């Protein structure tokens, strides 16, 4: 019975191939767009999530801010700066896994001229503790990282990012070579590359890390530090850890407990939620655009089915005379709309998947911007369900029209 | 001719009016009519006398206002949509002046159409459609589309379609209206054979020589049965038109 219906519907659609193709195009295009958007959205999202997963998802950063409330005799607007004692105090807070202090030459995001022979460039220069690299995972390209002895003995050694190596050493092996930072010479002992593909990764690759103690002495920083980085133990949420450590700092610096801007902080949990929300928004938008395109396709199918019904008034009347009920007629018209929509949608779906896969193959695995674009099974399934609903929906109005055809009127022979 | 057996169709005081401009326009006025199994009846009358309306009522395609209509002993009144469709499918066969074949289906598929509504499988449909096409001598055109057939051939396909579900009653509204007279007589021959096999055939026509070929002529005048007469049975023949004229 279903096969009969299918064959019948195909015969009807074949009768006017151009019209069928033009009508089908709307639905086809709608689904193609939907799949493309979903496929590349998926890739983008995967890249963001992967970038994120590479940095510890439970990490918390702190840096000094300004008070905004007077408290304990201190005036408002006071600048809070971290010193090593703050780091020591923070280290005592329960629940911490790794903790590191760091400081940047010239302050946050300021470049410093670094020279090697006749080559020079502007880079971030950081005073670092070995734990930094447990908090921000990196890929080693050679040599070693800073260790406890480097710090204890205030050695003049440096670990450089891969961009620094390429620009200053021009393909030569940098290990054991000296670099000149504001007149102080440091020996390169290691090269690293960030595992992130985004702007933060670029920054990491253009950074020179030297031991914190050496830094403080060489650049007259006393025991000042810029940031305190830590990771919470897995059982503690990053947000909770941030609050806990901040209150220690507030206590030490005489900051009003509600004056959160005095101690600036960032935690990965919030960041992750922000990214998740962003992609949720993108996803809704994609579905909205896809659905709107599909809807216009549905209107097209519905219209063409109305025309087909009008053209086939006599045929429908005849079928009623030969034993078709209104229900049979409704089922037939809805099936025709459904089959037309499904065929068109199927072509769009397959075309979309093929395009996404093709582009993915062409870009190669893990493209830095779009990752590996792909259409996951659940998205395709949902698209298919939407398609079926759209097909039935587009057939309803024409079917209603067809069911109202009166056989006597239809078969009158003028 | 009138046996004591239950008539295939029986009308008692059947009336029907159309609403025209909010006022009733009576079209069938208290008709009484019995038609028995195997009868070959024609309904004649001037244009607008209500012939088609009557046939539509008989074919359960239209409602009537009062009186009764028994089809095969069943009172056909206020039938459900489903029941009416089922009765049309199993008990009735329709033949139209305009043939009403589905243009994109070939001859055998057109013939088999009523069987699809009985959920008969395709193979069996083909077998039965071919048997009936054989009967109307069109088996060799089974794969032709209606557009590739002559008027007479189309009407024979339509008759095959009316016969395929082996109905009790065949209703034909001006089945020869679109055909030349030689072809018309071939069609009437076919309907006569069908009646001879024991099926009941009712033909609406306004052509006297077609009506003369049936066994009974019911004349409608302004919605009333003005005349109802039997025609004595003649030798069966398929003479050319002038021969028929000459024999009269
Ligand atoms: N749907 C309708 N609405 C209103 N009046 C109708 C309708 N159908 C038929 N009539 C009227 O009913 C009367 C009978 O019509 P019917 O079609 O039964 O005549 P007929 O005998 O078949 O005529 P013809 O020989 O021209 O086919 C006519 O006066 C016609 O105008
Ligand atoms: Mg008529």
């Amino acid at each position: 019975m279903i096969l009969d219906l299918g064959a019948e519907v195909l015969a009807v659609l074949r009768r006017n191939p151009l019209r069928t193709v033009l009508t089908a195009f709307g639905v086809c295009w709608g689904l193609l767009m939907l799949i493309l958007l979903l496929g590349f959205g998926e890739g983008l999202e995967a890249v963001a999530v992967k970038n994120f997963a590479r940095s510890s998802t439970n990490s918390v950063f702190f840096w000094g801010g300004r008070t905004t409330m007077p408290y304990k005799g201190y005036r408002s607007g006071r600048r809070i700066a971290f010193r090593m004692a703050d780091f020591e105090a923070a280290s005592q807070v329960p629940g911490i896994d790794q903790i590191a202090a760091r400081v940047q030459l010239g302050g946050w995001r300021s470049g410093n001229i670094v020279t090697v022979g006749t080559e020079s460039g502007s880079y971030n220069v950081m005073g670092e503790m070995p734990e930094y690299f447990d908090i921000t995972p990196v890929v080693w390209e050679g040599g070693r990282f800073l260790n406890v002895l480097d710090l204890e003995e205030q050695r003049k050694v440096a670990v450089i990012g891969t961009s620094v190596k390429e620009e200053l050493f021009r393909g030569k092996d940098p290990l054991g070579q000296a670099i000149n930072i504001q007149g102080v010479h440091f020996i390169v002992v290691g090269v690293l590359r960030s595992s992130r593909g985004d702007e933060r990764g670029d920054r990491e690759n253009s950074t020179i890390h030297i031991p914190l103690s050496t830094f403080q002495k060489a650049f007259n920083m006393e025991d000042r530090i810029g940031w305190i980085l830590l990771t919470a133990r897995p059982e503690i949420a990053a947000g909770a850890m941030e609050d806990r450590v901040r209150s220690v700092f507030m206590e030490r610096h005489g900051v009003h407990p509600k004056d959160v801007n005095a101690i600036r902080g960032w935690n990965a949990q919030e960041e992750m939620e922000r990214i998740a929300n962003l992609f949720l928004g993108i996803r809704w938008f994609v579905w909205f655009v896809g659905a709107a395109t599909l809807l216009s396709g549905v209107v097209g199918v519905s219209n063409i089915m109305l025309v087909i019904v009008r053209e086939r008034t006599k045929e429908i009347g005849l079928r009623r005379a030969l034993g078709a009920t209104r229900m049979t007629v409704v089922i037939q018209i809805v099936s025709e709309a459904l089959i037309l929509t499904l065929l068109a949608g199927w072509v769009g779906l397959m075309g979309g998947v093929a395009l996404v896969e093709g582009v993915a193959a062409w870009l190669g695995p893990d493209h830095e911007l779009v990752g590996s674009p792909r259409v996951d099974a659940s998205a395709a399934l949902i698209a298919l369900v939407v398609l079926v609903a759209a097909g039935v929906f587009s057939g309803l109005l024409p079917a209603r029209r067809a069911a109202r055809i009166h056989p006597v009127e239809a078969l009158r022979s003028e | 001719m009138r046996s004591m057996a239950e008539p295939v169709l029986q009308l008692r005081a059947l009336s029907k009016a159309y609403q025209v401009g909010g006022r009733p326009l009576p079209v069938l006025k208290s008709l009484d009519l019995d038609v028995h199994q195997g009868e070959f009846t024609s309904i004649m009358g001037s244009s607008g006398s209500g012939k088609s309306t009557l046939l539509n009522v008989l074919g359960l395609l239209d409602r009537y206002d009062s009186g009764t209509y028994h089809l095969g002993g069943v009172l056909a009144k206020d039938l459900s949509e489903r029941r009416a469709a089922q009765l049309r499918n199993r008990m009735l066969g329709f033949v139209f002046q305009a043939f009403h074949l589905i243009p994109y289906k070939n001859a055998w598929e057109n013939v088999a159409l009523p069987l699809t509504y009985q959920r008969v499988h395709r193979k069996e449909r083909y077998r039965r459609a071919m048997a009936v096409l054989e009967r109307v001598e069109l088996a060799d055109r089974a794969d032709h589309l209606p557009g590739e057939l002559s008027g007479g051939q189309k009407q024979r396909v339509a008759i095959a379609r009316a016969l395929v579900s082996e109905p009790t009653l065949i209703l034909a509204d001006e089945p020869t209206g679109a055909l030349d007279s030689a072809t018309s007589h071939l069609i009437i021959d076919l309907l006569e054979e069908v009646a001879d096999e024991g099926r009941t055939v009712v033909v609406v026509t306004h052509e006297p020589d077609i009506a003369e070929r049936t066994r009974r002529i019911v004349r409608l005048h302004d919605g009333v049965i003005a005349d109802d007469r039997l025609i004595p049975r003649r030798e069966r023949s398929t003479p050319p038109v002038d021969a028929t004229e000459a024999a009269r």
Side-chain angles (χ1 to χ4, degrees), chain B residues 63-232:
Chain B
R63 297 179 174 277
Y64 53 96
D65 300 329
S66 60
T68 58
Y69 166 28
H70 283 87
L71 172 63
V74 180
L75 176 63
K77 188 154 205 171
D78 301 324
L79 294 173
S80 73
E81 147 96 23
R82 210 184 161 75
R83 181 82 182 117
Q86 195 183 26
L87 285 174
R88 284 199 294 268
N89 186 236
R90 307 265 171 166
M91 291 193 67
L92 300 174
F94 293 90
V95 179
F96 306 91
Q97 176 176 358
F99 321 129
H100 291 314
L101 298 175
I102 296 181
Y104 58 91
K105 286 181 178 291
N106 65 27
W108 85 257
E109 287 167 335
N110 264 289
V111 171
L113 196 57
L115 299 178
T116 59
Y117 298 113
Q118 294 176 17
R119 299 172 182 279
V120 175
H121 283 286
R122 188 178 161 90
K123 260 200 180 133
E124 174 69 4
R125 289 207 305 268
Y126 178 74
R127 198 187 62 70
R128 284 170 64 177
M130 286 310 289
V132 194
L133 276 174
E134 199 90 53
R135 166 96 174 62
V136 300
E137 290 165 18
L138 278 176
D140 55 334
R141 298 295 154 92
D143 294 325
H144 287 227
L145 292 174
E148 302 161 354
L149 299 173
S150 72
Q153 288 171 331
K154 280 186 213 171
Q155 198 60 301
R156 273 145 72 197
V157 170
I159 291 173
R161 179 181 63 195
L163 291 174
V164 76
S165 54
E166 316 217 314
T168 337
L169 179 60
I170 308 276
L171 300 170
D173 196 351
E174 311 252 14
T176 61
L179 304 173
D180 63 51
S181 60
T183 316
S184 297
H185 280 279
L186 289 176
I187 293 299
I188 288 298
D189 286 344
L190 193 54
L191 291 174
E192 187 177 32
E193 280 174 35
V194 169
D196 285 347
E197 284 166 7
R199 293 192 208 289
T200 313
V201 180
V202 177
V203 181
V204 165
T205 182
H206 61 262
E207 296 165 78
D209 59 325
I210 296 298
E212 290 295 332
R213 296 285 312 277
T214 64
R215 309 268 175 275
R216 178 184 176 190
I217 302 179
V218 175
R219 236 172 253 282
L220 270 188
H221 181 71
D222 212 4
V224 178
I225 296 178
D227 183 36
D228 184 351
R229 69 183 172 93
L230 295 180
I231 299 172

Side-chain angles (χ1 to χ4, degrees), chain B residues 227-248:
Chain B
D227 183 36
D228 184 351
R229 69 183 172 93
L230 295 180
I231 299 172
R233 196 178 174 100
R234 293 165 302 184
E235 257 324 288
R236 261 205 64 204
S237 62
T238 51
V241 187
D242 12 14
T244 318
E245 297 295 346
R248 204 165 282 159

Side-chain angles (χ1 to χ4, degrees), chain B residues 55-62 69 71 76 79 84 87-88 92:
Chain B
L55 211 68
N56 289 335
V57 168
L58 297 182
L60 307 176
L61 293 170
D62 213 346
Y69 166 28
L71 172 63
L79 294 173
L87 285 174
R88 284 199 294 268
L92 300 174

Side-chain angles (χ1 to χ4, degrees), chain A residues 408-409 412-413, chain B residues 17-20 25-28 44-56 62 97 173-174 204-206 220:
Chain A
V408 172
E409 313 280 317
R412 193 169 284 151
S413 43
Chain B
Y18 285 111
Q19 292 295 319
V20 177
L25 170 75
V27 177
L28 302 176
M44 292 198 73
S46 55
S47 184
S49 57
K51 306 182 294 292
S52 294
T53 306
L54 174 58
L55 211 68
N56 289 335
D62 213 346
Q97 176 176 358
D173 196 351
E174 311 252 14
V204 165
T205 182
H206 61 262
L220 270 188

Side-chain angles (χ1 to χ4, degrees), chain A residues 126-204:
Chain A
M126 310 293 299
E128 216 77 83
M129 289 176 136
E131 290 81 3
Y132 172 74
F133 294 87
D134 296 327
I135 298 172
T136 304
V138 289
V139 179
W140 284 102
E141 290 204 326
R144 63 172 179 85
F145 183 55
L146 306 175
N147 57 36
V148 187
L149 282 178
D150 294 330
L151 265 86
E152 276 178 5
E153 298 177 4
Q154 302 184 348
R155 290 178 182 163
K156 289 178 182 164
V157 291
V159 170
I160 62 175
T162 185
S163 304
V164 181
K165 171 190 150 185
E166 278 160 24
E167 289 159 21
L168 292 184
F169 290 94
R170 305 264 170 207
K172 283 177 291 177
D173 182 10
L175 295 179
Q177 304 294 313
I179 56 173
N180 181 338
I181 305 170
Q182 296 194 354
V184 186
H185 285 80
F186 293 85
I187 304 300
V188 175
V189 295
V191 180
L192 61 76
R193 180 165 52 82
S194 173
S195 46
R196 299 176 64 113
D198 58 0
E199 186 235 342
R200 248 171 84 180
D202 291 345
R203 199 149 17 101
E204 184 76 60

Side-chain angles (χ1 to χ4, degrees), chain A residues 115-411:
Chain A
T115 56
V116 173
T118 56
E119 304 285 350
S120 72
S122 175
Y123 302 101
N124 306 305
V125 177
M126 310 293 299
E128 216 77 83
M129 289 176 136
E131 290 81 3
Y132 172 74
F133 294 87
D134 296 327
I135 298 172
T136 304
V138 289
V139 179
W140 284 102
E141 290 204 326
R144 63 172 179 85
F145 183 55
L146 306 175
N147 57 36
V148 187
L149 282 178
D150 294 330
L151 265 86
E152 276 178 5
E153 298 177 4
Q154 302 184 348
R155 290 178 182 163
K156 289 178 182 164
V157 291
V159 170
I160 62 175
T162 185
S163 304
V164 181
K165 171 190 150 185
E166 278 160 24
E167 289 159 21
L168 292 184
F169 290 94
R170 305 264 170 207
K172 283 177 291 177
D173 182 10
L175 295 179
Q177 304 294 313
I179 56 173
N180 181 338
I181 305 170
Q182 296 194 354
V184 186
H185 285 80
F186 293 85
I187 304 300
V188 175
V189 295
V191 180
L192 61 76
R193 180 165 52 82
S194 173
S195 46
R196 299 176 64 113
D198 58 0
E199 186 235 342
R200 248 171 84 180
D202 291 345
R203 199 149 17 101
E204 184 76 60
N205 292 336
S206 295
T207 296
I208 295 163
H209 307 269
I210 60 179
L212 180 64
S213 55
T214 319
F215 185 107
Q216 285 168 336
K217 191 179 171 213
F219 302 115
N220 279 324
M221 295 292 289
E222 300 169 17
D223 66 340
R224 277 198 284 271
I225 51 179
W227 291 269
I228 292 169
L229 281 59
L230 59 88
T231 54
R233 287 223 193 86
E235 68 273 15
I236 298 166
M241 197 69 224
E242 182 181 343
D243 294 342
R244 200 183 284 182
V245 176
R246 176 179 280 112
S247 61
V248 171
F249 292 144
M250 284 171 156
E251 175 82 8
R252 289 178 49 78
H253 288 271
V255 172
H256 190 284
K258 290 213 168 80
D259 195 359
V260 282
N261 279 329
I263 314 288
R264 311 297 299 254
W266 174 96
N267 73 66
Q269 190 187 347
E270 276 174 17
E271 177 84 353
M272 193 143 77
E273 279 162 13
R274 247 197 310 277
I275 290 179
N277 277 333
L278 174 70
F279 277 97
L280 192 70
I282 291 178
R283 216 175 263 209
W284 275 108
F285 176 73
V286 164
W287 277 104
F288 175 77
V289 169
T293 322
L294 203 59
L295 187 69
S296 68
V298 164
V299 171
V301 170
S302 201
N303 252 325
I304 218 68
M305 289 305 298
L306 278 175
V307 172
I308 289 179
V309 165
R310 189 169 317 133
E311 278 178 4
R312 290 200 298 165
T313 302
K314 273 192 201 306
E315 179 195 323
I316 291 165
L318 173 82
R319 286 174 182 270
R320 293 285 305 280
L322 296 186
T325 58
R326 279 201 179 85
M327 201 54 197
T328 323
V329 171
V330 165
I331 289 173
Q332 168 149 12
I333 299 299
V334 169
S335 313
E336 284 179 22
L338 185 61
I339 288 179
L340 181 58
T341 317
L342 273 183
L343 278 179
W346 186 251
V347 172
L349 187 75
M350 288 298 122
V353 171
L355 256 173
V356 169
E357 300 280 316
V359 168
W362 180 63
L363 288 177
D366 295 326
H367 186 263
E368 57 178 321
L369 278 183
V370 292
S372 310
R374 66 195 195 90
V375 182
D376 70 9
S378 70
L381 197 73
I382 294 173
L384 216 60
V385 169
V386 170
L387 197 61
V388 171
V392 170
F393 191 71
S394 63
L396 283 182
L397 192 71
R400 240 171 72 105
R401 181 78 53 87
R404 265 194 256 135
I405 290 172
H406 196 287
V408 172
E409 313 280 317
L411 294 173

